[in-house]
Amino acid sequence: MAFATINYHSHSLQKASSFNIVFPDDPAIPRPWSVFYLLHGQSDDHTIWARRTSIERYVEGLPLVVVMPNGDRGWYTNAIDGYKYEDDVIKDVVGLVDRTFPVKAERAGRAIGGLSMGGYGAVKLGLKHHETFASVNSHSGAIGFLRGDLKKSKELSPEFPRIFGEKPTGGPEDPFAIVEQIDHGRIPAMRIDCGVDDFLIEQNRDFHKFLEARHVAHEYQEFPGDHNWAYWDEHVQQAIAFHVRNLKLKP
């Protein structure tokens, strides 16, 4: 696999930004390739998946590109007061990859996933832009972050009110509310997992029960583990296998 850092001007952020990308370098791997957009958590950046996991090795031999954008601490959301990180991913990053690399630039060729803040971002973006992504996964996602105690949310993320406002529950960035508003037949294939010792486990259980009650097809699993890289390095391999099935890829 080849590895590169792409430095680009984000029109949505109105500033320079970067993403890392892993793509096949074996000429025997057929084109066009599919793309897996892999989002980081709140305390990290676009370099972290390559630094803390063996993501490059896990996708070796697949007709699959892995794109790791930089979401800073923006929750992959167009802030009420601040930067437009949702537009950066959907318009600038996906748009640049579609134009530049030999990829399948359509819904059937795109997947999105992430951990923690990135797990929330992947589910939120996958639901809001369900015509863009065929499959979605979340590890230890902060999926119910907008439905919790506002004081605790501010403690975890001081940017919270600036990004989401004072009353985000049920709003346009709330995954629970988005599910209620879109055609369930167009919801991407979805996989959610979380460690049983993770502080976000109840949020994930609540979202799983919510989807079950509405008969929304999805995979949900709990495993031993906490909110750490040992857990994510192990279970991103299952996420890749999930996307391989749903994108109908052949090694």
Side-chain angles (χ1 to χ4, degrees), residues 208-227:
H208 166 54
K209 293 174 184 176
F210 176 84
L211 295 177
E212 277 195 322
R214 285 150 184 80
H215 306 289
V216 175
H218 66 288
E219 292 184 11
Y220 177 78
Q221 288 187 282
E222 297 179 4
F223 299 97
D226 208 333
H227 204 79

Side-chain angles (χ1 to χ4, degrees), residues 75-246:
W75 288 88
Y76 305 100
T77 294
N78 291 343
I80 292 174
D81 178 17
Y83 289 116
K84 297 181 177 180
Y85 282 100
E86 178 174 329
D87 284 354
D88 176 58
V89 173
I90 299 300
K91 296 179 180 180
D92 294 284
V93 177
V94 173
L96 182 58
V97 171
D98 281 355
R99 294 191 303 272
T100 307
F101 290 85
V103 298
K104 190 183 294 185
E106 59 187 67
R107 184 183 196 257
R110 300 192 197 97
I112 189 167
L115 67 89
S116 197
M117 179 186 83
Y120 158 81
V123 170
K124 192 273 295 266
L125 294 178
L127 291 171
K128 284 184 74 173
H129 302 276
H130 51 278
E131 299 298 343
T132 300
F133 302 101
S135 59
V136 175
N137 85 276
S138 166
H139 305 294
S140 315
I143 302 172
F145 189 62
L146 275 63
R147 305 176 79 85
D149 180 80
L150 183 60
K151 183 179 179 181
K152 290 183 178 179
S153 297
K154 286 181 179 179
E155 290 174 356
L156 179 64
S157 178
E159 305 90 346
F160 182 89
R162 176 181 58 77
I163 295 171
F164 296 109
E166 296 293 339
K167 297 180 179 179
T169 301
E173 313 305 328
D174 182 352
F176 290 77
I178 299 170
V179 168
E180 300 279 30
Q181 297 164 5
I182 63 177
D183 178 0
H184 289 182
R186 295 301 291 169
I187 290 178
M190 192 179 308
R191 175 182 170 81
I192 299 163
D193 67 77
C194 194
V196 293
D197 296 317
D198 196 300
F199 75 103
L200 295 174
I201 186 66
E202 293 304 327
Q203 293 188 21
N204 285 267
R205 287 171 176 167
D206 288 347
F207 192 60
H208 166 54
K209 293 174 184 176
F210 176 84
L211 295 177
E212 277 195 322
R214 285 150 184 80
H215 306 289
V216 175
H218 66 288
E219 292 184 11
Y220 177 78
Q221 288 187 282
E222 297 179 4
F223 299 97
D226 208 333
H227 204 79
N228 56 41
W229 282 102
Y231 180 90
W232 300 320
D233 181 50
E234 178 179 355
H235 294 289
V236 73
Q237 299 173 68
Q238 295 162 333
I240 291 167
F242 172 77
H243 293 309
V244 165
R245 292 196 306 272
N246 286 285

Side-chain angles (χ1 to χ4, degrees), residues 10-86:
S10 169
H11 297 279
S12 299
L13 302 177
Q14 298 184 350
K15 71 181 197 69
S17 191
S18 303
F19 61 84
N20 280 350
I21 184 168
V22 175
F23 56 97
D25 58 7
D26 184 347
I29 294 179
R31 304 179 181 191
W33 306 320
S34 293
V35 188
F36 177 26
Y37 292 88
L38 186 55
L39 310 182
H40 65 76
Q42 181 179 238
S43 61
D44 293 312
D45 63 13
H46 63 290
T47 69
I48 197 68
W49 276 103
R51 290 166 49 208
R52 297 294 181 90
T53 75
S54 295
I55 186 68
E56 184 175 348
R57 181 165 58 86
Y58 297 152
V59 297
E60 186 173 2
L62 293 171
L64 182 67
V65 174
V66 181
V67 175
M68 295 159 276
N70 186 10
D72 291 319
R73 293 173 61 95
W75 288 88
Y76 305 100
T77 294
N78 291 343
I80 292 174
D81 178 17
Y83 289 116
K84 297 181 177 180
Y85 282 100
E86 178 174 329

